[in-house]
Amino acid sequence: QVQLVESGGGLVQAGGSLRLSCAASGRIFSIYLMGWYRQAPGKQRELVATITKSAHTNYADPVKGRFTISRDNANNTLYLQMNSLKPEDTAVYYCKAEVVTSQYLEVWGQGTLVTVSS
């Protein structure tokens, strides 16, 4: 009943920027914690950043000072502004949300590919 749709990935040169979006839809009573994760082929999925309903944020060390996570609660949308991109940022980026409908759910998006060239 709940779906997360990600967009905004693409190919950029090192030092460039991208803005990812994640739109939640469906029968949603509330969305609590949201976050971005990333996974390169053959590697483990790793945390990028999280944001609470009240907008408290946490970032993984590799992206601190370069990425900014934000959310629009009125539109159930999550964002990730990525600046000063590095080749090691190349990965599929996934949106995750803790959602309450008639029950508690953890929902993942389909992922969007970010490729940073050197």
Side-chain angles (χ1 to χ4, degrees):
Q1 195 78 15
V2 179
Q3 185 179 26
L4 303 181
V5 178
E6 301 172 340
S7 61
L11 174 64
V12 297
Q13 294 183 353
S17 297
L18 282 175
R19 180 176 169 87
L20 306 183
S21 299
C22 170
S25 62
R27 189 176 62 193
I28 299 170
F29 177 75
S30 186
I31 303 178
Y32 294 103
L33 189 71
M34 302 186 80
W36 289 98
Y37 298 75
R38 66 187 183 185
Q39 186 171 26
K43 298 180 65 177
Q44 288 188 325
R45 187 172 299 184
E46 64 179 6
L47 172 72
V48 176
T50 60
I51 183 168
T52 68
K53 190 177 181 67
S54 59
H56 183 271
T57 60
N58 286 99
Y59 297 91
D61 285 341
V63 308
K64 286 181 179 177
R66 299 188 297 120
F67 292 8
T68 302
I69 189 171
S70 61
R71 62 191 287 172
D72 182 347
N73 291 337
N75 293 291
N76 290 332
T77 303
L78 178 72
Y79 302 97
L80 185 68
Q81 179 66 46
M82 307 189 299
N83 299 326
S84 302
L85 283 162
K86 304 175 180 179
E88 51 262 45
D89 295 319
T90 296
V92 177
Y93 283 71
Y94 296 92
C95 173
K96 180 187 176 182
E98 298 178 346
V99 182
V100 176
T101 57
S102 59
Q103 59 185 9
Y104 169 84
L105 299 172
E106 290 188 355
V107 184
W108 290 86
Q110 81 285 355
T112 184
L113 178 63
V114 172
T115 303
V116 184
S117 65
S118 60

